[in-house]
Amino acid sequence: MIILASSSPRRKELLENHGIAFIVDASSINEVLDENLDIEERLMHLAKQKAYPIHQKYPHDIVIGADTIVYHHDKIIGKPFSKSDAQSILLSLSNDKHRVYSAVAIYYGDDVECFIDYTDVYFKDIESDIETYLQSDEWMDKAGAYAIQGKANIFVDHIVGDKETVIGLPTYKVIQSLKNHGGL
């Protein structure tokens, strides 16, 4: 059995869109990034931490944990605390490039495989569109204050990489790992 250790509706939808049979069982952990590690190692460590409690619950099954962040000018851009915070974040991303990382940890019984993928996202000058977007409330609970698959796709000039990585799960890499380990 495959267990998605995430309550993200976007990750759930991505796996469903690829026809993968799974159940969802997510734990809540205190998400702390280890500042002593580089950004990619930090994220893979966090993905592993998210999957571990579920792996303990289902030690003989496949457990997938993931974490996604927006990285801009050497800073992690988290979820906005307020509408004005979302506006500030979006203005900082306007007419610029940022990178979205998605880290994955997959437990296969006693073994765990961790990997990361990233996509560079280039925003247009979005200043004139921000207010209308903020009224939609789509920015809420989104890293970087936007969802590329939603209304904010009008902000995107182009991407270099996998759009699904930006949405929250590098699904093709997950599928390849599952195939390599006999999970599919």
Side-chain angles (χ1 to χ4, degrees):
M1 178 166 49
I2 297 173
I3 298 103
L4 176 62
S6 172
S7 56
S8 164
R10 292 160 295 282
R11 290 189 183 110
K12 181 178 181 280
E13 185 179 316
L14 287 170
L15 289 178
E16 288 170 347
N17 288 347
H18 288 278
I20 297 171
F22 65 96
I23 64 167
V24 173
D25 191 350
S27 63
S28 64
I29 65 160
N30 188 11
E31 293 187 26
V32 178
L33 291 169
D34 186 342
E35 298 291 329
N36 297 318
L37 302 173
D38 72 29
I39 190 67
E40 293 186 9
E41 290 296 322
R42 273 189 256 174
L43 283 174
M44 286 189 289
H45 183 69
L46 187 55
K48 194 173 172 182
Q49 285 181 310
K50 287 180 169 185
Y52 186 72
I54 306 304
H55 162 65
Q56 287 185 306
K57 192 173 174 180
Y58 303 94
H60 305 292
D61 292 307
I62 298 169
V63 177
I64 303 170
D67 195 58
T68 300
I69 60 135
V70 174
Y71 200 64
H72 184 238
H73 295 301
D74 299 322
K75 287 176 45 184
I76 295 172
I77 309 297
K79 297 174 182 177
F81 302 110
S82 64
K83 191 174 186 177
S84 63
D85 188 33
Q87 182 177 25
S88 177
I89 289 169
L90 291 168
L91 283 171
S92 76
L93 300 177
S94 180
N95 209 31
D96 204 357
K97 174 188 97 163
H98 60 277
R99 182 165 280 179
V100 178
Y101 290 96
S102 282
V104 179
I106 305 176
Y107 280 90
Y108 296 99
D110 293 331
D111 296 324
V112 63
E113 179 181 359
C114 295
F115 54 88
I116 195 159
D117 195 39
Y118 67 85
T119 296
D120 289 330
V121 181
Y122 294 79
F123 268 18
K124 304 171 193 171
D125 180 348
I126 65 171
E127 198 166 337
S128 62
D129 297 318
I130 289 175
E131 191 53 44
T132 302
Y133 177 74
L134 291 173
Q135 291 171 10
S136 76
D137 289 342
E138 186 181 84
W139 56 269
M140 297 173 82
D141 200 37
K142 306 282 189 307
Y146 77 95
I148 196 169
Q149 73 279 16
K151 293 176 173 85
N153 88 4
I154 65 165
F155 297 163
V156 179
D157 182 68
H158 67 282
I159 66 170
V160 177
D162 184 355
K163 184 176 181 179
E164 292 186 353
T165 294
V166 182
I167 295 171
L169 192 67
T171 318
Y172 292 105
K173 286 188 172 193
V174 170
I175 291 168
Q176 192 58 53
S177 177
L178 292 171
K179 285 179 179 176
N180 291 344
H181 289 86
L184 286 182

